[in-house]
Amino acid sequence: GGRDPPVPRVAVVVFLLKGNTVLLGRRRNSHGDSTYALPGGHLEFGESFEECAGREVEEETGMKIEGTELLTVTNNVFRDGEKPLHYVTVFMRARPEDEGEEPRNMEPGKCDGWGWYEWKEEGLPTPLFGPLERMVASGFNPFPTQPQQ
Ligand code: 8DG
Ligand code: MG
Ligand code: MG
């Protein structure tokens, strides 16, 4: 019930990579409203990270993904809202199954729409969602690096 003590939840979010761009959408949510964020959502009971990534991206954009890989995990406590939230956020990367397919805004109540943005300071929209902003600030690069020669 509503009086239960708050607990941390697990979220899985996806850097969907196309060329040198990543997919971002402007949130419509009591939490992080109007900020640009990755597709993703809550891990369901029994799901793998890869399954959750594929399901959330398809639910939110209509796109199927491939090459899904784990990148990193961050701990995010949100104290600003009416009720505090705590997410352990699992960041994955993936590519669209069909590079020519464009994302559709499948959940217009939760997102203003999707766009591809270059992963560099000048290319990214503002404001970014807090957890993503912190990753950018830390210099995180979601793109695969070339193998060393
Ligand atoms: P669901 O019902 O589909 O499972 O949930 P959702 O409505 O899609 O949840 P969400 O807010 O999109 O994602 C769950 C949480 O994940 C979010 O409240 C906080 C955390 N989160 C981050 N970074 C990001 C991000 O870049 N994008 C998204 N979508 N969520 C993120 O820590
Ligand atoms: Mg979702
Ligand atoms: Mg979501």
Side-chain angles (χ1 to χ4, degrees), residues 13-47:
V13 303
V14 184
F15 286 101
L16 190 54
L17 307 178
K18 186 160 90 164
N20 61 346
T21 65
V22 304
L23 189 71
L24 298 174
R26 200 164 183 240
R27 285 172 72 78
R28 282 295 163 225
N29 195 301
S30 55
H31 154 230
D33 193 48
S34 295
T35 64
Y36 288 84
L38 302 167
H42 301 91
L43 185 69
E44 290 183 357
F45 189 87
E47 258 184 338

Side-chain angles (χ1 to χ4, degrees), residues 16 32 65 86 92 94 117 119 133 135:
L16 190 54
I65 61 176
H86 181 174
M92 311 293 284
Y117 297 92
W119 187 256
E133 175 65 49
M135 290 183 85

Side-chain angles (χ1 to χ4, degrees), residues 11 24 26 39-40 43 58 73 93 108 111:
L24 298 174
R26 200 164 183 240
L43 185 69
E58 193 167 3
V73 177
R93 79 167 156 231
C111 178

Side-chain angles (χ1 to χ4, degrees), residues 12-13 27 29 37-42 56 59-60 107 110-111 114:
V12 174
V13 303
R27 285 172 72 78
N29 195 301
L38 302 167
H42 301 91
E56 284 289 343
E59 284 175 4
E60 298 183 356
E107 297 179 337
K110 286 187 177 185
C111 178
W114 298 105

Side-chain angles (χ1 to χ4, degrees), residues 72-86:
T72 192
V73 177
T74 65
N75 189 51
N76 299 289
V77 181
F78 302 88
R79 298 186 188 282
D80 302 350
E82 192 175 304
K83 88 177 189 221
L85 292 169
H86 181 174

